[in-house]
Amino acid sequence: MNRDVFDSARISALDPASPGARAIADLSWWMIGGFSAVFVLVMLLTFFAIYSKGRGLRQQVPWGNHRFIFFGGVVFPSVVVGALLLLSLALTSTARSGPTDLLIRVTGHMWWWDVEYPEHDIRIANELYIPVGRRVRVELLAKDVIHSFWVPNLAGKMDMIPGLRNELILEASEAGVFRGQCAELCGLQHAKMAFFVIALDGQEFEDWLRARRAAIDKIPSLVLQKGFEVFERAHCGECHFVRDTGAQAKIGPDLTHVGSRLSLGAGSIPNTEGNLAGWIANPQAIKPGNHMPRAFISPEDLHELTQFLRNLE
Ligand code: CUA
């Protein structure tokens, strides 16, 4: 299931699935059309100039050379570029204003995404669940360097700058899984700083919220298992957070719901049992340079730890 979703997630600015992305795609086509018209006109004039040289054709042109340059080289490009500028300014102002139904706070880290639902007290990583047809206000922050939040099918891209709070409106007009990507070069693993936006129909989104709360209620029974003892012995809690346990660090991603995630390593690999065990055993082999060291534990302990984490849904 996870692997299929991982492989089939949509990512294209020309395949819009929201009113905002539709407006951007339309503007792109207007730009491609407008600039193509300018290009074709300039090329025709260039060929005319080359062809007419020495043939006395220019004297037959009914308008003067200067007027020709003024209208072809100044007026026409100014009108085209000016119209496209006004169109894009109007678009950017509507894309960021208006009332919203849900708040999600996303913080960019090297190289993963911390995702909080402040109104629902839920914290996950590298994926955003949103309800279809509702406007979601996404607060964009950065922990270390500049990152950029981009889900091409759903919205334009917006930079995440340390010390600054940016905002973006996300809205999906159809259910689906959309892939997002960091769009600002942020270091070695910039390419493996991806995420997913999962747009669910209203009731399914409510079910998703309920399932997260149920998963939190399950944690007290999970910490009695051997896997949690391995988790503590391997010092996972010195970087990671798991709700209602002694693991309260916020250096790495919050693992409270890690078992329900689609991917590991911020979109690097599908979150399957084997991949999770492989990630814990040697994360540097999968995503070199990431800040997680390898765990030196026995295969039996690795199995128990993997089971524990997969049960954190
Ligand atoms: Cu974060 Cu590129």
Side-chain angles (χ1 to χ4, degrees), residues 111 146-147 182-186 190 193:
W111 294 278
I146 300 177
H147 303 276
C182 179
E184 180 70 40
L185 182 62
C186 57
H190 158 67
M193 186 167 170

